[in-house]
Amino acid sequence: MVIFMKKELKILFIVLGIIVVLGAIFFVIDYERAKKQEKPIFCINIATYRDGGTKEYLGLGYKVIDFHTLEGFDDIKIGTWFINYNDFNEEMKVYETKFEEELRKNEEYTKMIQVNGKLYINNGEESTVTGRCGNMDGQITTNVKQDEVPTQDNQSNFSGYPEYQYGAENTIEVKINDKWFVFRLKDVKEDVFNAKIKRISEYNGITTVLIKGLESNDINHRGEFDFSIDNNTQILWIEPKSTKSSYTAIDSSKLKEGQNISITSTGYVLESSPAQLTKVTKVIVLEDEL
């Protein structure tokens, strides 16, 4: 009986020893992966947080927390089974503060509206006008996303439908949350450069063109850009044997991949990939044949 008990204990110790060795090996491997910001491979997912996608994993004697928060905290932590999400509140707080500051910055300095075909921008300036007239000159009726530029009249890139009044010296004053803010006219200049059409696509009746700036352009116009064609976009071509000096208006269906064109842009360039030309007023086909 004693001999049998000793054999059982020996087997138990061997099994426990194997588990400890495996746990140590698994920990070392996952620890090295954590240092490289790579997900563990010897753990099981036991929890997913609604903070942007943070996941918690459990291994043999250790735990891994893969942080992915909406505020931008993206890190992988590894430790014993006793570590938990709240142990890293101080680190997350740093990202939360930066995120809130960025939101405030965006809210205060990038508000834009379009009125009567012109773009007006607020840089955080509040109105000093007193004794204001109670009659409004207009109201915002539609919104675009915060990182987009308004392209229609009475449209803004912030939420809500505030009323506005015309101010002095090319300004519009907008009432937002019971405060009046000064929006100043954006001085937009024409930007003309040559490019090659890479792709033309249609979606919901909207024609979008992807272009690549020619190497002969200045360095700011050699990359890829895309833009949408609307009713205000002129599409022109001059016949090579024509005696006329004026261009001929053509339909957008005449645009083809591989054509060299001249672009006239009067809007913002959004720093996306590819960059987005928000308002192209003129496209000239630089080809002998269509």
Side-chain angles (χ1 to χ4, degrees), residues 92-139:
M92 286 189 285
K93 188 66 178 178
V94 173
Y95 285 85
E96 289 173 4
T97 301
K98 289 181 179 178
F99 183 75
E100 290 171 358
E101 289 176 353
E102 190 64 27
L103 282 180
R104 285 196 296 270
K105 180 180 177 181
N106 289 338
E107 279 294 316
E108 293 172 0
Y109 299 108
T110 60
K111 289 188 177 72
M112 292 179 277
I113 62 173
Q114 179 172 307
V115 177
N116 295 330
K118 297 179 180 179
L119 190 66
Y120 294 81
I121 295 179
N122 173 256
N123 61 1
E125 180 183 358
E126 290 190 35
S127 175
T128 58
V129 174
T130 58
R132 186 181 300 276
C133 169
N135 295 325
M136 299 296 111
D137 295 313
Q139 183 176 10

Side-chain angles (χ1 to χ4, degrees), residues 6-71:
K6 288 182 178 180
K7 286 183 178 180
E8 284 188 335
L9 288 174
K10 185 176 182 180
I11 293 172
L12 179 61
F13 286 137
I14 291 174
V15 171
L16 290 175
I18 293 173
I19 292 174
V20 171
V21 171
L22 287 176
I25 294 173
F26 293 165
F27 174 80
V28 170
I29 293 174
D30 282 340
Y31 177 77
E32 291 299 321
R33 292 180 63 83
K35 289 198 300 183
K36 299 176 183 178
Q37 296 301 296
E38 297 176 348
K39 293 181 179 180
I41 57 177
F42 295 111
C43 297
I44 58 173
N45 181 209
I46 60 171
T48 299
Y49 294 88
R50 294 182 178 178
D51 63 348
T54 296
K55 293 185 177 181
E56 199 169 290
Y57 298 88
L58 198 64
L60 280 174
Y62 61 96
K63 184 187 290 184
V64 177
I65 304 177
D66 185 4
F67 286 93
H68 290 284
T69 69
L70 292 172
E71 291 79 13

Side-chain angles (χ1 to χ4, degrees), residues 191-243:
D191 193 13
V192 182
F193 65 97
N194 295 336
K196 183 183 290 289
I197 297 177
K198 293 191 65 177
R199 185 177 67 246
I200 301 174
S201 56
E202 296 275 349
Y203 182 73
N204 284 346
I206 299 175
T207 300
T208 303
V209 183
L210 175 66
I211 59 175
K212 174 70 167 63
L214 301 185
E215 291 301 316
S216 56
N217 296 339
D218 65 74
I219 192 169
N220 295 321
H221 299 103
R222 296 177 188 172
E224 290 189 350
F225 304 83
D226 68 6
F227 63 92
S228 298
I229 294 175
D230 58 32
N231 294 332
N232 297 318
T233 306
Q234 288 183 293
I235 305 175
L236 306 171
W237 176 64
I238 186 168
E239 299 179 35
K241 296 181 181 179
S242 174
T243 58

Side-chain angles (χ1 to χ4, degrees), residues 113 115 120 127 129-140 162-168 170-175 180-183:
I113 62 173
V115 177
Y120 294 81
S127 175
V129 174
T130 58
R132 186 181 300 276
C133 169
N135 295 325
M136 299 296 111
D137 295 313
Q139 183 176 10
I140 299 301
E163 296 178 311
Y164 61 80
Q165 293 179 335
Y166 295 117
N170 293 320
T171 65
I172 290 179
E173 301 199 357
V174 184
K175 187 178 182 181
W180 286 91
F181 292 86
V182 178
F183 285 68

